[in-house]
Amino acid sequence: MADVIAGYKADDYDQAIELWNGLDGLGLSEADSPERIARFLQRNEGLSFVCEYAGNIIGTILAGHDSRRGFLYHLGVATEHRGHGIAPRLVDKALSALLKEGIDKCHLFVMEHNIGGQRFWSANGWEKRDGILLYSRDLG
């Protein structure tokens, strides 16, 4: 059975989090709770996607925007399904959806230790930015 890319729905969460937990280099936090992911999907409706094979989620990408810039999160493909073009297809779907929203530039974050992720993004035309520092602060 061929793989199918479909819109990410809130009830895809259990399979998605299982996939994410099994991937090296993907950072998870409290922001990845079922409630927060559902809120993200609602706020950014139609921008995130999953890849399914034989009824199971084998790939994901979350996309959103702040009305100026797009952001990609949690691109992941199950290890045994890599090398078949799933990740680039997921990225293309998300970027096309962002373009339809009028977003013409997109950013993403890659963990410093995620060498495979760095290689993937560089090989697919993404430019590593220098001179930008990321600052974070908990608000609660």
Side-chain angles (χ1 to χ4, degrees):
M1 174 183 292
D3 56 73
V4 175
I5 294 186
Y8 186 119
K9 303 173 301 304
D11 54 347
D12 290 331
Y13 180 82
D14 289 341
Q15 286 191 53
I17 195 73
E18 185 177 339
L19 172 68
W20 298 339
N21 278 320
L23 298 175
D24 288 334
L26 197 132
L28 298 174
S29 71
E30 292 177 15
D32 297 304
S33 70
E35 299 79 20
R36 290 187 180 181
I37 293 293
R39 193 168 68 212
F40 178 86
L41 294 171
Q42 182 179 17
R43 184 176 187 278
N44 297 284
E45 189 174 353
L47 303 179
S48 297
F49 298 91
V50 297
C51 182
E52 298 176 341
Y53 178 79
N56 296 309
I57 291 175
I58 60 166
T60 63
I61 190 165
L62 300 180
H65 67 83
D66 62 10
S67 77
R68 294 178 55 249
R69 298 286 186 248
F71 296 89
L72 300 181
Y73 306 95
H74 294 3
L75 172 65
V77 174
T79 305
E80 62 273 17
H81 292 277
R82 291 183 182 171
H84 301 287
I86 295 168
R89 286 176 44 218
L90 286 165
V91 172
D92 287 346
K93 287 284 280 189
L95 295 179
S96 292
L98 286 167
L99 270 171
K100 287 179 186 172
E101 293 279 316
I103 304 301
D104 59 5
K105 185 165 188 156
C106 192
H107 301 294
L108 56 92
F109 303 99
V110 178
M111 303 297 270
E112 188 173 21
H113 67 276
N114 186 349
I115 303 303
Q118 292 178 47
R119 266 188 258 137
F120 171 82
W121 293 110
S122 292
N124 283 279
W126 291 73
E127 177 185 344
K128 180 183 173 208
R129 299 280 304 264
D130 291 321
I132 295 176
L133 302 177
L134 174 66
Y135 289 80
S136 297
R137 179 179 171 183
D138 289 336
L139 303 180

